[in-house]
Amino acid sequence: DQQVKQNSPSLSVQEGRISILNCDYTNSMFDYFLWYKKYPAEGPTFLISISSIKDKNEDGRFTVFLNKSAKHLSLHIVPSQPGDSAVYFCAASAGNQFYFGTGTSLTVIP
Amino acid sequence: DAGITQSPRYKITETGRQVTLMCHQTWSHSYMFWYRQDLGHGLRLIYYSAAADITDKGEVPDGYVVSRSKTENFPLTLESATRSQTSVYFCASSESYGGAFYNEQFFGPGTRLTVL
């Protein structure tokens, strides 16, 4: 029973365009959400997070949007760069519960 | 080495054998975590620890044992390895502000374990 879902296993975007990665969750008790980026043969690295009391958080080229009524969050990368090519995982927490999504592999085409 | 390290990076073992994966962090972070990454499942939490001698189960703890006698070390033991435990294992650590899962986690490079 996947509590955090990333329904798109892969995404290709042209360099300079916007990348939108999506994540859905089922547990309305989740109150904190994070995005991690993972390159091959490396551990994930933290990208950006958002509390459930907010609907948007921005950090440079990265913006996370949270829609609590739809139980949906998205990560926007603008402009996309070839170095952004990686697997992106969303994650959600509620107290002592913590779940990652299955990941979306982003390819940014030069 | 500064940061978080895992050893070994690669391990091949046989069904039924005991194997221990090591994790060491130099930040004195309170929290440490073990995950496994499998295709179609993303990363799943196995166990986590809030401090020395305090551990708790995650989503998939069966078949695994952890201990934390020192803040900087968090070994994961497979007491009798099974083929279904073939996976990539990641250790992570974090600060403790606000709780176990409300902070950025810093991940090690991973251990690729194959159980034959």
Side-chain angles (χ1 to χ4, degrees):
Chain A
D1 183 22
Q2 197 77 26
Q3 298 210 28
V4 179
K5 301 177 185 179
Q6 293 177 257
N7 292 317
S8 298
S10 62
L11 175 69
S12 290
V13 172
Q14 289 285 341
E15 180 179 3
R17 305 294 290 268
I18 184 172
S19 296
I20 300 176
L21 296 99
N22 294 303
C23 180
D24 297 296
Y25 59 95
T26 57
N27 188 344
S28 59
M29 298 301 291
F30 288 141
D31 57 2
Y32 196 71
F33 304 88
L34 308 95
W35 283 92
Y36 284 83
K37 178 169 76 172
K38 185 184 180 306
Y39 292 119
E42 295 183 11
T45 55
F46 171 77
L47 206 51
I48 193 169
S49 62
I50 187 168
S51 165
S52 61
I53 63 173
K54 295 185 176 181
D55 54 19
K56 176 183 174 181
N57 189 27
E58 192 172 353
D59 184 2
R61 296 186 298 114
F62 303 91
T63 303
V64 56
F65 295 92
L66 176 63
N67 182 334
K68 289 187 291 294
S69 61
K71 297 191 181 69
H72 177 84
L73 67 155
S74 60
L75 175 69
H76 292 210
I77 306 173
V78 182
S80 300
Q81 299 173 353
D84 296 329
S85 296
V87 177
Y88 290 78
F89 292 96
C90 63
S93 60
N96 289 334
Q97 296 186 67
F98 187 68
Y99 298 94
F100 275 95
T102 51
T104 296
S105 178
L106 173 66
T107 301
V108 180
I109 304 165
Chain B
D1 289 337
I4 184 164
T5 56
Q6 294 184 235
S7 62
R9 294 294 312 276
Y10 302 90
K11 177 74 176 178
I12 299 174
T13 190
E14 294 178 338
T15 302
R17 289 191 179 264
Q18 181 181 85
V19 59
T20 296
L21 310 184
M22 304 301 293
C23 179
H24 175 80
Q25 53 108 353
T26 60
W27 294 303
S28 298
H29 283 163
S30 297
Y31 281 101
M32 295 188 75
F33 312 85
W34 274 106
Y35 296 91
R36 58 178 290 174
Q37 184 190 6
D38 305 287
L39 201 62
H41 291 280
L43 290 103
R44 289 181 292 175
L45 181 66
I46 303 171
Y47 270 96
Y48 67 101
S49 168
D53 298 321
I54 301 174
T55 62
D56 214 338
K57 295 178 180 179
E59 184 184 357
V60 289
D62 293 343
Y64 303 95
V65 175
V66 293
S67 62
R68 195 161 175 213
S69 57
K70 292 184 177 181
T71 301
E72 61 266 30
N73 297 323
F74 191 38
L76 176 74
T77 297
L78 289 67
E79 292 194 307
S80 179
T82 65
R83 289 195 184 91
S84 65
Q85 293 177 308
T86 292
S87 187
V88 180
Y89 291 85
F90 289 99
C91 177
S93 70
S94 77
E95 299 283 2
S96 62
Y97 314 123
F101 303 109
Y102 292 83
N103 300 283
E104 171 186 357
Q105 294 182 28
F106 296 85
F107 283 80
T111 294
R112 183 174 292 276
L113 176 68
T114 301
V115 183
L116 301 176

